[in-house]
Amino acid sequence: MSKVRTYQQLLDFNQNIHLAVTSLQEVSTMRMQKARSAVLETRDYQDAIHSIFSSINQAHKDEIEDLLSQKSWWGSKPKKITTRNTNGKKINVFSAPDSRFSGSIANTVFRDFKQAVDRDGSKADVAVIGQVGIELFKNTFGDTFPATFFEWHESAFDSAALAKVSDFLLQYQEVDIYHGVFSSLVQQN
């Protein structure tokens, strides 16, 4: 009789475990369905936002093309339309770190920058950002080539310095910036 009671207890215990597992599966299924619904709603929302953005972007392009195709009051078609006033000039900008601990990336990027400065000559202005860049520029060109220099400290964000650089660059029609790119801890381009 004792064995029958022990088997009955084991059977009851197994049934209780089965009920608990089944309940947990149902709760898990409901949570997964809720998460899936949230993902689908988010995806639908993003698709709607993208659709609105695409429509606005296309309408803007169409309007610009329409304006460019029309003759102006002086009788010729404009070549381009801009929403800000610029000086119509080009500037080559070299952005470098403020310390020498950046490896050889500053020298590598500076070579490309120097080629652009040599190619453009006096047709383009020059700006240099960062202490390493200023040193490289002065060592290469001396004081014979006019340039605008900006101090930039990587250790702390300085909104005033950023505004100063941005305001300076906004006056130019074309801005070419030469800077390094951090790909990984081992590789920089």
Side-chain angles (χ1 to χ4, degrees):
M1 190 70 180
S2 157
K3 282 187 172 184
V4 171
R5 190 170 11 135
T6 305
Y7 288 132
Q8 186 62 38
Q9 287 174 343
L10 283 173
L11 185 62
D12 291 343
F13 179 75
N14 283 340
Q15 287 176 345
N16 288 338
I17 292 289
H18 178 68
L19 287 172
V21 167
T22 303
S23 298
L24 288 173
Q25 282 178 336
E26 289 175 6
V27 168
S28 174
T29 300
M30 289 182 346
R31 284 185 179 170
M32 287 174 56
Q33 287 174 344
K34 187 176 179 181
R36 182 179 181 274
S37 296
V39 167
L40 291 175
E41 286 176 18
T42 301
R43 189 176 297 154
D44 290 343
Y45 177 76
Q46 288 176 338
D47 287 345
I49 292 293
H50 183 265
S51 175
I52 292 169
F53 175 76
S54 296
S55 297
I56 290 172
N57 196 20
Q58 187 60 44
H60 178 70
K61 285 181 182 176
D62 293 345
E63 184 69 22
I64 295 295
E65 287 175 8
D66 185 45
L67 287 172
L68 286 172
S69 68
Q70 296 175 7
K71 286 188 175 181
S72 62
W73 58 271
W74 59 84
S76 64
K77 292 182 182 179
K79 291 192 169 76
K80 61 175 100 173
I81 295 175
T82 183
T83 57
R84 63 182 170 88
N85 293 329
T86 64
N87 60 11
K89 294 175 71 178
K90 176 182 178 179
I91 187 167
N92 291 314
V93 181
F94 177 54
S95 178
D98 64 347
S99 68
R100 281 266 173 212
F101 299 115
S102 60
S104 64
I105 187 68
N107 292 329
T108 303
V109 175
F110 185 77
R111 278 194 299 271
D112 293 339
F113 170 75
K114 183 182 179 312
Q115 287 176 351
V117 170
D118 290 340
R119 179 190 64 232
D120 294 340
S122 63
K123 293 186 282 184
D125 290 345
V126 174
V128 180
I129 302 170
Q131 188 59 41
V132 171
I134 294 170
E135 289 173 14
L136 285 169
F137 187 85
K138 287 183 176 179
N139 289 341
T140 303
F141 293 102
D143 292 330
T144 60
F145 203 96
T148 304
F149 301 108
F150 295 97
E151 292 289 331
W152 189 264
H153 302 287
E154 297 169 335
S155 57
F157 178 74
D158 185 2
S159 60
L162 179 61
K164 185 177 176 183
V165 172
S166 296
D167 291 342
F168 176 76
L169 294 178
L170 279 174
Q171 67 181 319
Y172 288 91
Q173 181 72 32
E174 184 179 344
V175 178
D176 289 345
I177 300 178
Y178 295 83
H179 61 91
V181 176
F182 181 80
S183 299
S184 69
L185 191 58
V186 179
Q187 181 182 5
Q188 297 180 15
N189 301 323

